[in-house]
Amino acid sequence: MKKLTSCGLLALLLSLPVYAEQEVNNAVEQTVTAEVTEAEQAPNEGVAPLDNIEPLPTISETQQADAQPPQDLSPWGMYQSADNVVKAVMILLLLASVATWSVWAFKTVQLRLTRGRAQQALNELVAARSLAEANVASHAFKGASLALLEATNLELELSDNTSPEGIKERVSARLERVHDSAAQASQRGVGVLATTGAVAPFVGLFGTVWGIMGSFIGIAESQTTNLAVVAPGIAEALLATAMGLVAAIPAVVFYNHFSKTVAAYRADLSDIVASLLILVSRDVEQPMAAGEER
């Protein structure tokens, strides 16, 4: 009996740690289960649902919200929002462009008329055998050709009873003065085209540089490099360069065209002068030839 009792006590002592560990595990499991159940059953008080949370705006969206670019990005809208200096440059270039097209319209009509009159007078002088016949056909002379014919007649009247060589020299000198005056009158307005073609791009570039400087100053003050803030100012500045090119390109083209036309008109006047000198030489030498025959 004593042995059996000792064995039972020993077995009981050995089983006590295992039993205690099982009880602890059961207690832990019951506690965790109770806490999970309470968490599931408790309402979500003070917690906003995830669907109602608005996302925070990004940096670019915030900068775009703060930036206020001009609504009208047309040329007129950019002009209105430009700096005063850039506006003055644009107005100056606009006036230069208007002057260019005005000179083109005026010189086109003028040179077409003057060249037509000069060629008609040249044909009459080439067909005439004497200065008297040219005077008969003088009703067809207008402008510089008529001035040349009148200058010839005036010098012949003033140079009566003189040597033929002296008459021809004086007539040639008088015709040269009238020729130069007419040629100079034909070049009026062409200088405006030359000046506009040479200066307008630089004036537009000045407006662009000034506008870009203003844009960089605005960037430094606003402390942002957002394209929505920078782009309008740069576009306004580049508009000045575009206007400068719009004024300069037609001016250069028109200047080259009118230079050739004026040169052709001066050649027509030179032909008229040569024809008049031929007629004068023929008239003053005929009496001498008749005297020699006698």
Side-chain angles (χ1 to χ4, degrees):
M1 288 295 292
K2 290 181 179 180
K3 291 181 179 181
L4 291 174
T5 303
S6 299
C7 291
L9 291 173
L10 181 61
L12 180 60
L13 292 173
L14 293 174
S15 61
L16 283 176
V18 176
Y19 178 76
E21 182 178 359
Q22 290 179 354
E23 290 295 330
V24 170
N25 292 335
N26 291 334
V28 171
E29 290 179 357
Q30 290 178 359
T31 303
V32 172
T33 302
E35 291 177 355
V36 170
T37 303
E38 291 178 359
E40 291 178 352
Q41 292 178 356
N44 297 327
E45 296 179 357
V47 180
L50 297 177
D51 296 338
N52 296 331
I53 298 177
E54 297 181 357
L56 295 176
T58 60
I59 296 176
S60 60
E61 292 176 350
T62 304
Q63 293 175 351
Q64 291 178 0
D66 295 337
Q68 295 180 357
Q71 298 295 327
D72 187 7
L73 293 178
S74 63
W76 175 248
M78 288 189 290
Y79 165 78
Q80 289 180 328
S81 59
D83 185 72
N84 291 331
V85 176
V86 180
K87 284 183 178 179
V89 169
M90 292 181 182
I91 293 173
L92 181 61
L93 293 174
L94 180 61
L95 294 176
S97 180
V98 172
T100 297
W101 287 97
S102 300
V103 170
W104 169 79
F106 174 75
K107 296 300 294 185
T108 299
V109 176
Q110 181 192 29
L111 292 176
R112 183 172 297 179
L113 292 175
T114 53
R115 285 208 65 193
R117 294 170 180 173
Q119 291 175 356
Q120 184 179 0
L122 181 60
N123 294 332
E124 295 291 341
L125 292 174
V126 171
R129 295 183 178 181
S130 64
L131 191 61
E133 292 183 5
N135 290 326
V136 172
S138 62
H139 63 277
F141 291 16
K142 294 180 180 179
S145 57
L146 180 59
L148 290 170
L149 181 60
E150 291 176 350
T152 303
N153 293 326
L154 178 61
E155 187 59 37
L156 289 175
E157 293 177 0
L158 297 175
S159 301
D160 193 14
N161 298 325
T162 57
S163 63
E165 295 299 329
I167 292 175
K168 288 188 288 186
E169 289 180 2
R170 285 188 292 271
V171 170
S172 177
R174 189 178 291 271
L175 291 179
E176 184 178 357
R177 291 178 58 188
V178 177
H179 173 274
D180 293 342
S181 177
Q184 185 177 3
S186 66
Q187 291 181 343
R188 291 175 183 172
V190 179
V192 176
L193 301 178
T195 303
T196 302
V199 176
F202 296 102
V203 175
L205 182 61
F206 168 73
T208 298
V209 172
W210 187 273
I212 292 178
M213 286 173 57
S215 299
F216 285 153
I217 293 173
I219 293 172
E221 292 177 352
S222 61
Q223 296 182 355
T224 177
T225 58
N226 186 13
L227 187 61
V229 178
V230 180
I234 297 177
E236 296 164 6
L238 292 176
L239 181 61
T241 299
M243 293 184 66
L245 295 177
V246 167
I249 292 174
V252 173
V253 174
F254 296 157
Y255 175 78
N256 294 332
H257 170 69
F258 289 136
S259 296
K260 295 180 180 179
T261 307
V262 169
Y265 175 65
R266 295 184 66 176
D268 293 338
L269 293 180
S270 298
D271 293 338
I272 292 175
V273 170
S275 299
L276 288 172
L277 290 175
I278 291 173
L279 294 178
V280 169
S281 177
R282 188 181 299 167
D283 288 345
V284 298
E285 291 179 357
Q286 281 180 356
M288 294 180 58
E292 291 178 357
E293 290 179 357
R294 292 179 183 178

